[in-house]
Amino acid sequence: MIQWLRTALFRILFYSLSVPIVATVPIAALFGQRAVIAHSNTWSRLHRVLMRWVLGIRPRVVGRVPEGQYLFVGKHEAMYETLELQLILHSPAMVLKRELMKVPLWGWATTKYGALVVDRDASARALKQMMREGRAMRESGRSVVVYAEGTRVPPGERPPLRSGFAGLYKALDLPVVPIAVDSGRLLPKKGPKKAGVVTFLIGETIPPGLPRREAEARVHAAINALNV
């Protein structure tokens, strides 16, 4: 019962406080991308504070986040990591599903923050567009974070990587840092959330230029390292 109440309180606070933050993105955009990134980090910090003090959930990072430009590939079990990794990884650009770009104002805000848009159907045209945008992002010097399984999955499930990962890996030509996450055991899609520690396991860096199957196999194994 207590966890249900804490879950309800978190939702009320987080979503009500998120409205003014998202609504004021156009003001931040007047001052350039750095201001938008700082504005976005305010949202991520709000999420972290409410997670800690309302739900009793805090992050634990195992391993070291390397300095430099990388393609970070994360496991996706809850909304939690999409905001928390923005802070842990020092504001990388995001890879997002095209459907999310249709959300009023929020979709526009993500383009100002820095995002690569992917199509679920992975058509040849969509992949070519993603590769062009990927090369441009590489030239910008920013790291990129992607959830290569394509959607959030329940704990223990290990779906294959989406085909878009291979195109992104080739287009960016960056070393890959896989990140395993176990957020799903505390933050199920349905039901009350549970207090505890979410672990982010930073995997071994994978070099660019590997054959597709080898790169995918190494990434898939690393992001599922906490699935025991």
Coordinates of all heavy atoms in Angstrom, one line a residue, residues 5-70:
L5 N 1.1 4.4 -2.8 CA 1.0 5.8 -2.5 C 2.2 6.6 -3.0 O 2.1 7.7 -3.5 CB 0.8 6.0 -1.0 CG -0.6 5.5 -0.4 CD1 -0.6 5.5 1.1 CD2 -1.7 6.3 -1.0
R6 N 3.4 6.0 -2.8 CA 4.6 6.7 -3.2 C 4.6 6.8 -4.7 O 5.1 7.8 -5.3 CB 5.8 6.0 -2.6 CG 5.9 6.0 -1.1 CD 7.0 5.2 -0.6 NE 8.3 5.8 -0.8 CZ 9.5 5.3 -0.3 NH1 9.5 4.2 0.4 NH2 10.6 5.9 -0.5
T7 N 4.2 5.8 -5.4 CA 4.2 5.8 -6.8 C 3.2 6.8 -7.3 O 3.5 7.6 -8.3 CB 3.7 4.4 -7.4 OG1 4.7 3.4 -7.0 CG2 3.6 4.4 -8.9
A8 N 2.0 6.9 -6.8 CA 1.1 8.0 -7.1 C 1.6 9.4 -6.9 O 1.4 10.3 -7.7 CB -0.3 7.7 -6.4
L9 N 2.2 9.6 -5.7 CA 2.8 10.9 -5.4 C 3.9 11.3 -6.4 O 4.0 12.4 -6.8 CB 3.3 10.9 -4.0 CG 4.0 12.2 -3.5 CD1 3.0 13.3 -3.6 CD2 4.6 12.0 -2.1
F10 N 4.7 10.3 -6.7 CA 5.8 10.6 -7.7 C 5.2 11.0 -9.0 O 5.7 12.0 -9.6 CB 6.7 9.3 -7.9 CG 7.6 9.5 -9.1 CD1 8.8 10.1 -8.9 CD2 7.3 9.0 -10.4 CE1 9.7 10.3 -10.0 CE2 8.2 9.2 -11.4 CZ 9.4 9.8 -11.2
R11 N 4.2 10.3 -9.5 CA 3.6 10.7 -10.8 C 3.0 12.1 -10.8 O 3.2 12.8 -11.7 CB 2.6 9.6 -11.2 CG 3.1 8.3 -11.6 CD 2.1 7.2 -11.8 NE 2.6 6.0 -12.3 CZ 2.0 4.8 -12.3 NH1 0.7 4.8 -11.8 NH2 2.5 3.7 -12.7
I12 N 2.3 12.4 -9.7 CA 1.7 13.7 -9.6 C 2.8 14.8 -9.6 O 2.7 15.8 -10.4 CB 0.9 13.8 -8.3 CG1 -0.4 12.9 -8.4 CG2 0.4 15.3 -8.1 CD1 -1.1 12.7 -7.1
L13 N 3.8 14.6 -8.8 CA 4.9 15.6 -8.7 C 5.7 15.7 -10.0 O 5.9 16.8 -10.5 CB 5.8 15.3 -7.5 CG 5.2 15.5 -6.1 CD1 6.2 15.0 -5.1 CD2 4.8 17.0 -5.9
F14 N 6.1 14.6 -10.5 CA 7.0 14.6 -11.7 C 6.3 15.2 -12.9 O 6.8 16.1 -13.6 CB 7.5 13.2 -12.0 CG 8.4 13.2 -13.3 CD1 9.6 13.8 -13.2 CD2 7.9 12.6 -14.4 CE1 10.4 13.8 -14.4 CE2 8.8 12.6 -15.6 CZ 10.0 13.2 -15.5
Y15 N 5.1 14.8 -13.2 CA 4.4 15.2 -14.4 C 3.9 16.7 -14.3 O 3.9 17.4 -15.3 CB 3.3 14.3 -14.8 CG 3.8 13.0 -15.4 CD1 3.7 11.8 -14.6 CD2 4.5 12.9 -16.6 CE1 4.3 10.6 -15.1 CE2 5.0 11.7 -17.0 CZ 4.9 10.6 -16.3 OH 5.4 9.4 -16.7
S16 N 3.5 17.1 -13.1 CA 3.0 18.4 -12.9 C 4.2 19.4 -13.0 O 4.1 20.5 -13.6 CB 2.3 18.6 -11.6 OG 3.1 18.3 -10.5
L17 N 5.4 19.0 -12.4 CA 6.5 19.9 -12.5 C 7.2 19.9 -13.8 O 8.0 20.8 -14.2 CB 7.5 19.5 -11.4 CG 7.1 19.7 -10.0 CD1 8.0 19.1 -9.0 CD2 6.9 21.2 -9.7
S18 N 7.0 18.8 -14.6 CA 7.6 18.7 -16.0 C 6.9 19.7 -17.0 O 7.6 20.1 -17.9 CB 7.4 17.3 -16.5 OG 8.2 16.4 -15.7
V19 N 5.7 20.0 -16.8 CA 4.9 20.8 -17.7 C 5.6 22.2 -17.9 O 5.9 22.6 -19.0 CB 3.5 21.0 -17.3 CG1 2.8 22.1 -18.1 CG2 2.7 19.7 -17.4
P20 N 5.9 22.9 -16.8 CA 6.6 24.2 -17.0 C 8.0 24.1 -17.6 O 8.5 25.0 -18.3 CB 6.6 24.8 -15.6 CG 6.4 23.7 -14.7 CD 5.6 22.7 -15.4
I21 N 8.7 23.0 -17.3 CA 10.1 22.8 -17.8 C 10.0 22.6 -19.3 O 10.7 23.3 -20.1 CB 10.7 21.6 -17.1 CG1 11.0 21.9 -15.6 CG2 12.1 21.3 -17.8 CD1 11.6 20.8 -14.9
V22 N 9.1 21.7 -19.8 CA 9.0 21.5 -21.2 C 8.4 22.8 -21.9 O 8.9 23.1 -23.0 CB 8.1 20.3 -21.5 CG1 7.9 20.1 -23.0 CG2 8.7 19.0 -20.9
A23 N 7.5 23.4 -21.3 CA 6.9 24.6 -21.9 C 7.8 25.8 -22.1 O 7.6 26.6 -23.0 CB 5.7 25.0 -21.1
T24 N 8.9 25.8 -21.3 CA 9.8 26.9 -21.4 C 11.0 26.6 -22.2 O 12.0 27.4 -22.3 CB 10.3 27.4 -20.0 OG1 10.7 26.2 -19.2 CG2 9.1 28.0 -19.2
V25 N 11.0 25.5 -22.9 CA 12.1 25.1 -23.8 C 12.3 26.2 -24.9 O 13.5 26.6 -25.2 CB 12.0 23.7 -24.5 CG1 13.0 23.5 -25.6 CG2 12.1 22.7 -23.4
P26 N 11.2 26.7 -25.5 CA 11.5 27.8 -26.5 C 12.2 29.0 -26.0 O 13.0 29.6 -26.8 CB 10.0 28.2 -26.9 CG 9.2 27.0 -26.6 CD 9.8 26.4 -25.4
I27 N 12.1 29.3 -24.7 CA 12.9 30.4 -24.2 C 14.3 30.0 -24.1 O 15.2 30.8 -24.5 CB 12.3 30.8 -22.8 CG1 10.9 31.3 -22.9 CG2 13.2 31.9 -22.1 CD1 10.2 31.5 -21.5
A28 N 14.6 28.8 -23.6 CA 16.0 28.4 -23.6 C 16.6 28.3 -25.0 O 17.8 28.6 -25.2 CB 16.1 27.0 -22.9
A29 N 15.8 27.9 -26.0 CA 16.3 27.8 -27.4 C 16.8 29.1 -27.9 O 17.6 29.1 -28.9 CB 15.2 27.2 -28.2
L30 N 16.3 30.2 -27.4 CA 16.7 31.5 -27.9 C 18.2 31.8 -27.6 O 18.8 32.6 -28.3 CB 15.9 32.6 -27.2 CG 14.4 32.7 -27.5 CD1 13.7 33.7 -26.7 CD2 14.2 33.0 -29.0
F31 N 18.7 31.0 -26.6 CA 20.1 31.2 -26.2 C 21.0 30.1 -26.8 O 22.2 30.0 -26.4 CB 20.2 31.3 -24.7 CG 19.4 32.4 -24.1 CD1 18.1 32.2 -23.7 CD2 19.9 33.7 -24.0 CE1 17.3 33.3 -23.2 CE2 19.2 34.7 -23.5 CZ 17.9 34.5 -23.1
G32 N 20.5 29.2 -27.7 CA 21.4 28.3 -28.3 C 21.2 26.9 -27.7 O 20.6 26.7 -26.7
Q33 N 21.9 25.9 -28.3 CA 21.8 24.5 -27.9 C 22.4 24.3 -26.5 O 21.8 23.4 -25.8 CB 22.6 23.6 -28.9 CG 22.3 22.1 -28.7 CD 23.0 21.2 -29.7 OE1 24.2 21.3 -29.8 NE2 22.2 20.5 -30.4
R34 N 23.4 24.9 -26.1 CA 23.9 24.7 -24.8 C 22.9 25.0 -23.7 O 22.8 24.4 -22.7 CB 25.2 25.6 -24.6 CG 26.4 25.1 -25.3 CD 27.7 25.8 -24.9 NE 28.8 25.3 -25.6 CZ 30.1 25.8 -25.4 NH1 30.3 26.7 -24.5 NH2 31.1 25.3 -26.1
A35 N 22.1 26.1 -24.0 CA 21.1 26.5 -23.0 C 20.0 25.4 -23.0 O 19.4 25.1 -21.9 CB 20.5 27.8 -23.4
V36 N 19.7 24.8 -24.1 CA 18.6 23.8 -24.2 C 19.1 22.5 -23.4 O 18.4 21.9 -22.7 CB 18.3 23.4 -25.6 CG1 17.4 22.2 -25.7 CG2 17.7 24.6 -26.4
I37 N 20.4 22.2 -23.6 CA 21.0 21.1 -22.9 C 20.9 21.3 -21.4 O 20.6 20.4 -20.6 CB 22.4 20.8 -23.4 CG1 22.4 20.3 -24.8 CG2 23.1 19.8 -22.5 CD1 23.8 20.2 -25.5
A38 N 21.3 22.5 -20.9 CA 21.3 22.8 -19.5 C 19.8 22.7 -19.0 O 19.6 22.2 -17.9 CB 21.8 24.2 -19.3
H39 N 18.9 23.2 -19.8 CA 17.5 23.1 -19.4 C 17.0 21.7 -19.3 O 16.3 21.3 -18.4 CB 16.7 23.9 -20.5 CG 15.3 24.2 -20.1 ND1 15.0 25.3 -19.2 CD2 14.1 23.7 -20.5 CE1 13.7 25.4 -19.1 NE2 13.1 24.5 -19.8
S40 N 17.4 20.9 -20.2 CA 17.1 19.4 -20.2 C 17.7 18.8 -19.0 O 17.0 17.9 -18.4 CB 17.6 18.7 -21.5 OG 17.4 17.4 -21.4
N41 N 18.9 19.1 -18.6 CA 19.5 18.5 -17.5 C 18.8 18.9 -16.2 O 18.8 18.1 -15.2 CB 21.0 18.9 -17.4 CG 21.8 18.2 -18.4 OD1 21.4 17.2 -18.9 ND2 23.0 18.8 -18.7
T42 N 18.1 20.1 -16.2 CA 17.3 20.4 -15.0 C 16.1 19.4 -14.8 O 15.8 19.0 -13.7 CB 16.7 21.9 -15.2 OG1 17.8 22.8 -15.3 CG2 15.8 22.2 -14.1
W43 N 15.6 19.0 -16.0 CA 14.5 18.0 -16.0 C 15.0 16.7 -15.4 O 14.4 16.0 -14.6 CB 13.9 17.9 -17.4 CG 12.6 17.1 -17.5 CD1 11.6 17.1 -16.6 CD2 12.3 16.2 -18.5 NE1 10.6 16.3 -17.0 CE2 11.0 15.7 -18.2 CE3 13.0 15.7 -19.6 CZ2 10.4 14.7 -19.0 CZ3 12.3 14.8 -20.4 CH2 11.0 14.3 -20.1
S44 N 16.2 16.3 -15.9 CA 16.8 15.0 -15.5 C 17.1 15.1 -14.0 O 16.9 14.1 -13.3 CB 18.0 14.7 -16.3 OG 17.7 14.5 -17.6
R45 N 17.6 16.2 -13.5 CA 17.9 16.3 -12.1 C 16.6 16.3 -11.2 O 16.6 15.7 -10.1 CB 18.6 17.6 -11.8 CG 20.1 17.6 -12.3 CD 20.9 18.7 -11.9 NE 22.2 18.7 -12.5 CZ 22.5 19.4 -13.6 NH1 21.6 20.2 -14.2 NH2 23.7 19.3 -14.1
L46 N 15.5 16.9 -11.7 CA 14.2 16.8 -11.0 C 13.8 15.4 -10.9 O 13.4 14.9 -9.8 CB 13.2 17.6 -11.8 CG 11.7 17.4 -11.4 CD1 11.5 17.9 -10.0 CD2 10.7 18.0 -12.4
H47 N 13.9 14.6 -12.0 CA 13.6 13.2 -12.0 C 14.4 12.4 -11.0 O 13.9 11.6 -10.2 CB 13.8 12.7 -13.4 CG 13.4 11.2 -13.6 ND1 14.4 10.2 -13.6 CD2 12.3 10.6 -13.8 CE1 13.8 9.0 -13.8 NE2 12.5 9.2 -13.9
R48 N 15.7 12.7 -10.9 CA 16.6 12.0 -10.0 C 16.2 12.3 -8.5 O 16.2 11.4 -7.7 CB 18.1 12.4 -10.2 CG 19.0 11.9 -9.3 CD 20.5 12.4 -9.5 NE 21.1 11.7 -10.6 CZ 22.4 11.9 -11.0 NH1 23.1 12.9 -10.4 NH2 22.9 11.2 -12.0
V49 N 15.9 13.6 -8.2 CA 15.6 14.0 -6.9 C 14.3 13.3 -6.4 O 14.2 12.8 -5.3 CB 15.5 15.5 -6.8 CG1 14.8 15.9 -5.4 CG2 16.9 16.1 -6.9
L50 N 13.3 13.3 -7.3 CA 12.0 12.7 -6.9 C 12.1 11.2 -6.8 O 11.5 10.6 -6.0 CB 10.9 13.1 -8.0 CG 10.5 14.6 -8.0 CD1 9.5 14.8 -9.1 CD2 10.0 15.0 -6.7
M51 N 12.9 10.6 -7.7 CA 13.1 9.1 -7.6 C 13.8 8.8 -6.2 O 13.4 7.8 -5.6 CB 14.1 8.7 -8.7 CG 13.4 8.4 -10.0 SD 12.5 6.8 -10.0 CE 11.6 6.9 -11.5
R52 N 14.7 9.6 -5.8 CA 15.5 9.3 -4.6 C 14.6 9.6 -3.4 O 14.5 8.7 -2.5 CB 16.7 10.2 -4.5 CG 17.5 10.1 -3.2 CD 18.1 8.7 -3.1 NE 18.9 8.5 -1.9 CZ 18.4 8.1 -0.8 NH1 17.1 7.7 -0.7 NH2 19.1 7.9 0.3
W53 N 13.9 10.7 -3.3 CA 13.3 11.1 -2.1 C 11.8 10.7 -2.0 O 11.2 10.7 -0.9 CB 13.4 12.6 -1.8 CG 14.9 12.9 -1.7 CD1 15.7 13.6 -2.5 CD2 15.7 12.6 -0.6 NE1 17.0 13.7 -2.1 CE2 17.0 13.1 -0.8 CE3 15.5 11.9 0.6 CZ2 18.1 12.9 0.0 CZ3 16.6 11.7 1.5 CH2 17.8 12.3 1.2
V54 N 11.2 10.4 -3.1 CA 9.8 9.9 -3.1 C 9.7 8.4 -3.2 O 9.0 7.7 -2.4 CB 8.9 10.6 -4.2 CG1 7.5 10.1 -4.2 CG2 8.9 12.1 -4.0
L55 N 10.4 7.8 -4.2 CA 10.3 6.4 -4.4 C 11.4 5.6 -3.7 O 11.4 4.4 -3.6 CB 10.4 6.1 -5.9 CG 9.1 6.5 -6.7 CD1 9.3 6.2 -8.2 CD2 7.9 5.9 -6.2
G56 N 12.5 6.3 -3.3 CA 13.6 5.6 -2.6 C 14.5 4.8 -3.6 O 15.1 3.8 -3.2
I57 N 14.6 5.3 -4.8 CA 15.4 4.7 -5.9 C 16.6 5.6 -6.2 O 16.4 6.8 -6.4 CB 14.6 4.5 -7.1 CG1 13.4 3.5 -6.9 CG2 15.4 4.0 -8.3 CD1 12.5 3.3 -8.0
R58 N 17.8 5.0 -6.2 CA 19.0 5.7 -6.5 C 19.9 4.9 -7.4 O 19.8 3.7 -7.5 CB 19.7 6.1 -5.2 CG 20.1 4.9 -4.4 CD 20.7 5.4 -3.0 NE 21.0 4.3 -2.1 CZ 22.2 3.6 -2.2 NH1 23.1 3.9 -3.1 NH2 22.4 2.6 -1.4
P59 N 20.7 5.6 -8.2 CA 21.6 4.9 -9.2 C 22.9 4.5 -8.6 O 23.4 5.1 -7.6 CB 21.8 6.0 -10.2 CG 21.8 7.3 -9.4 CD 20.8 7.1 -8.3
R60 N 23.5 3.5 -9.1 CA 24.8 3.0 -8.8 C 25.6 2.7 -10.1 O 25.1 1.9 -10.9 CB 24.8 1.8 -7.9 CG 26.2 1.2 -7.6 CD 26.1 0.1 -6.6 NE 25.5 -1.1 -7.2 CZ 26.1 -2.3 -7.3 NH1 27.4 -2.4 -6.9 NH2 25.5 -3.3 -7.8
V61 N 26.7 3.4 -10.3 CA 27.4 3.2 -11.6 C 28.6 2.3 -11.2 O 29.5 2.6 -10.4 CB 27.9 4.5 -12.1 CG1 28.8 4.3 -13.4 CG2 26.8 5.4 -12.4
V62 N 28.7 1.1 -12.0 CA 29.8 0.2 -11.8 C 30.7 0.3 -13.1 O 30.2 0.1 -14.2 CB 29.3 -1.2 -11.6 CG1 30.5 -2.2 -11.5 CG2 28.4 -1.4 -10.4
G63 N 31.9 0.7 -12.9 CA 32.8 0.9 -14.0 C 33.0 2.4 -14.2 O 32.4 3.2 -13.5
R64 N 33.8 2.8 -15.2 CA 34.1 4.2 -15.4 C 33.5 4.6 -16.8 O 33.7 3.9 -17.8 CB 35.6 4.4 -15.4 CG 36.1 5.8 -15.5 CD 37.6 5.9 -15.5 NE 38.2 5.3 -16.6 CZ 38.4 5.9 -17.8 NH1 38.0 7.1 -18.0 NH2 38.9 5.2 -18.8
V65 N 32.9 5.8 -16.8 CA 32.4 6.4 -18.1 C 33.7 7.0 -18.7 O 34.3 7.9 -18.2 CB 31.4 7.4 -17.8 CG1 31.0 8.1 -19.1 CG2 30.1 6.8 -17.2
P66 N 34.1 6.5 -19.9 CA 35.3 7.1 -20.5 C 35.1 8.5 -21.0 O 34.0 8.9 -21.4 CB 35.5 6.1 -21.7 CG 34.2 5.6 -22.0 CD 33.4 5.5 -20.7
E67 N 36.2 9.2 -21.1 CA 36.1 10.6 -21.7 C 36.3 10.5 -23.2 O 37.0 9.6 -23.7 CB 37.2 11.4 -21.0 CG 37.0 11.6 -19.5 CD 38.1 12.6 -19.0 OE1 38.9 13.1 -19.7 OE2 38.1 12.8 -17.7
G68 N 35.7 11.4 -23.9 CA 35.8 11.4 -25.3 C 34.5 11.2 -26.0 O 33.4 11.2 -25.3
Q69 N 34.5 10.9 -27.3 CA 33.3 10.8 -28.1 C 33.0 9.3 -28.3 O 33.9 8.6 -28.9 CB 33.4 11.5 -29.4 CG 32.1 11.6 -30.2 CD 32.2 12.3 -31.5 OE1 33.4 12.5 -32.0 NE2 31.1 12.8 -32.1
Y70 N 31.8 8.8 -28.0 CA 31.5 7.4 -28.1 C 30.0 7.2 -28.5 O 29.2 8.1 -28.4 CB 31.6 6.7 -26.7 CG 33.1 6.6 -26.2 CD1 33.6 7.7 -25.5 CD2 33.9 5.5 -26.5 CE1 34.9 7.6 -25.0 CE2 35.2 5.5 -26.1 CZ 35.7 6.5 -25.3 OH 37.0 6.4 -24.9

